[in-house]
DNA sequence: TTAATAGTGTCTATAAGACAATATATA
DNA sequence: TATATATTGTCTTATAGACACTATTAA
């Protein structure tokens, strides 16, 4: 950043934004009741292989704006308030045979019902973050999906629905089912509830009810996520000596 | 990524890599024995304000290679095996008045003794990650430093010396002093030791000794970091039901 | 009353945090 | 021996994990 040469004297890469859109698809035959963590794959006419939604960035447009626009125009879905999360910059010089490109890869999660309008495929992923179909995507997009899935699973160990897949207010069962789908494992009801309790507040739904019943059984109480005091809250912090901090 | 147009038809940004090089500078008057977390600042002749080391990336060069080369040529220091960590991409359209630029910002830590050869300044930072001098750097580099410091402090709560500032093998006191400097607080000796013990293995130094004495007092045992089973080890994991996983 | 789902009491094991004692060196 | 630093015993409190029980609804 410290050169006095004109910017135009430097060769410049093409910079793309690619987005792994993740969701929990309703349960199939597998794993009984548990939904499946899945990723949105586009199949453009002129491409041999499936790709993630993405395009090159335009001047005077931020990355966040680009993400939103890509989802709207390429995937034909409304991202709403969902926050895209930077994964990393993919910079292998040979990642695109057309020339020198960088990909600023992002992950983003959306509730399944907002993806059905899209003309894209929703493909489940396995434990290692590969597509269950074994499909090979274009460019390095399989790797982007793997990293997106890994980061997402990691975060779902630590906090209640950090990607906002569940609409508030929700019941503990709804919350747990989403976590089970993301993590790909059944979770213990009692321990899960107690863990999450510290990060939730009781709430009412639009109708002012403090609990809901689905069709049978005891009605469940409603919760919203407590505005989290910090991402690091649930991890250990080193013990300060004396009263410092 | 899905266009069939030629890459050259798209406008392209200038892409820079900027690096917050962090270190623990030896203790000054403040806080008794505790070193100070500091950042390396360049003062090029032709620039009004201090800047972080950085430059535009070149074709067929990875970001990692660029980081290494920047540190060697601009900061005149040898990064060795230190791993640069991506912070995020700074993309404010107005961040550089010369034109459209992105900065792929990284953080990296090096032991203080490897920085003295550099012609750069080593400036301590305060609790919020600002330079203690109140100095304003060029571009958005103050913000890069703040984020670098925040991420680094967060990681030093969770693991023993994750940025490899201490040379192996080390004593628990050496390790604790580095953590105190990074976190800017004194830590309890006994609890710190027990916390770290799970992440350390006993070791010998070059001379084959299993402990060292500095000048006075009981000699301290030597440790190396245990190859960590995973970054998430020290955070809670949700309880699986049954035997699944 | 039964089935289904929600939620809690409580026991055990483990870990955190704090205090103080013990251990091993030099001067 | 006095002093300095390192390390551990142990007590208290908090939390995790597991099991089984209680609670509240619909059919």
């Amino acid at each position: 950043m410290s050169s006095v040469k004109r910017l135009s004297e430097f060769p410049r890469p093409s910079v793309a934004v690619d987005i792994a859109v993740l969701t929990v698809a309703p349960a199939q035959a597998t794993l009984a009741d548990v939904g499946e963590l899945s990723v949105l794959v586009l199949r453009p006419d002129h491409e041999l292989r499936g790709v993630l939604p993405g395009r090159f960035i335009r001047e005077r447009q931020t990355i966040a704006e680009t993400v939103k626009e890509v989802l709207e125009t390429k995937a034909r879905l409304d991202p709403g308030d969902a926050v895209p999360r930077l994964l990393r910059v993919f910079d292998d010089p040979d990642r695109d045979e057309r020339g020198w490109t960088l990909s600023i890869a992002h992950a983003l999660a959306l509730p399944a019902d907002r993806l059905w309008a899209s003309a894209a495929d929703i493909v489940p992923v396995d434990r290692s973050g590969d597509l269950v179909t074994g499909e090979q995507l274009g460019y390095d997009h399989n790797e982007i999906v793997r990293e997106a899935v890994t980061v997402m699973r990691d975060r779902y160990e630590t906090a209640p629905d950090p990607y906002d897949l569940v609409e508030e207010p929700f019941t503990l069962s709804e919350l747990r089912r989403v976590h089970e789908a993301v993590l790909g494992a059944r979770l213990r009801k009692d321990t899960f509830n107690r863990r999450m309790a510290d990060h939730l507040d009781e709430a009412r739904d639009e109708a002012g009810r403090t609990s809901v019943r689905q069709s049978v059984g005891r009605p469940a109480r409603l919760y919203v996520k407590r505005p989290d005091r910090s991402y690091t809250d649930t991890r250990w912090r080193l013990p300060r000596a004396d009263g410092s901090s």
Side-chain angles (χ1 to χ4, degrees), chain A:
Chain A
M1 298 299 314
S2 62
S3 175
V4 288
K5 283 198 275 188
R6 298 177 58 94
L7 294 182
S8 56
E9 292 179 39
F10 295 90
R12 284 159 291 150
S14 298
V15 179
V17 168
D18 292 305
I19 309 145
V21 180
L22 300 166
T23 195
V24 169
Q28 305 287 3
T30 58
L31 251 180
D33 215 11
V34 179
E36 292 180 301
L37 184 60
S38 307
V39 66
L40 181 145
V41 175
L42 296 182
R43 308 195 179 286
D45 297 335
H46 54 276
E47 303 250 358
L48 289 174
R49 291 177 292 182
V51 294
L52 300 180
R55 69 158 169 77
F56 294 110
I57 61 176
R58 300 189 184 130
E59 192 155 4
R60 304 210 65 76
Q61 212 177 32
T62 65
I63 294 169
E65 289 162 359
T66 305
V67 169
K68 184 172 166 63
E69 200 179 288
V70 162
L71 295 179
E72 288 169 349
T73 61
K74 295 237 173 174
R76 301 202 174 286
L77 55 85
D78 173 20
D81 296 329
V83 290
R85 293 156 196 272
L86 173 65
L87 288 173
R88 68 179 174 91
V89 181
F90 286 75
D91 64 343
D92 184 338
D94 300 317
R95 65 179 295 280
D96 187 333
E97 65 278 2
R98 295 172 299 171
W100 184 24
T101 67
L102 302 179
S103 170
I104 304 179
H106 286 76
L108 176 144
L110 286 172
D113 52 17
R114 299 178 66 173
L115 264 59
W116 298 136
S118 168
D121 283 356
I122 309 294
V123 184
V125 299
D126 64 19
R127 293 197 74 77
S128 50
D130 292 310
L131 307 194
V132 293
T133 55
E135 175 182 3
Q136 292 302 307
L137 302 176
Y139 312 105
D140 43 16
H141 289 189
N142 286 88
E143 197 175 346
I144 294 177
V145 173
R146 270 196 302 275
E147 294 198 15
V149 167
T150 302
V151 171
M152 182 176 187
R153 292 216 168 107
D154 203 55
R155 287 176 166 259
Y156 269 77
E157 295 274 1
T158 311
D161 189 34
Y163 284 36
D164 298 321
L165 282 173
V166 189
E167 194 176 359
E168 293 185 313
F170 48 78
T171 70
L172 282 169
S173 292
E174 288 166 356
L175 181 65
R176 179 163 45 84
R177 265 184 273 276
V178 167
H179 279 252
E180 287 176 335
V182 170
L183 298 175
R186 303 302 298 255
L187 301 174
R188 291 191 66 89
K189 178 176 58 170
D190 51 2
T191 308
F192 180 87
N193 288 6
R194 272 186 261 251
R195 279 277 189 81
M196 290 301 166
D198 292 341
H199 304 275
L200 302 176
D201 287 319
E202 287 204 60
R204 300 172 180 279
D205 64 6
E206 326 76 46
R209 285 171 303 187
T210 185
S211 69
V212 291
R213 92 194 109 272
Q214 26 283 16
S215 66
V216 66
R218 171 174 169 175
R221 267 180 285 190
L222 293 166
Y223 295 90
V224 295
K225 297 172 211 165
R226 188 190 302 266
D228 69 334
R229 294 149 301 188
S230 139
Y231 166 66
T232 62
D233 249 12
T234 54
R235 292 189 273 165
W236 55 265
R237 320 217 85 197
L238 289 171
R240 266 64 180 176
D242 316 323
S244 57
S245 180

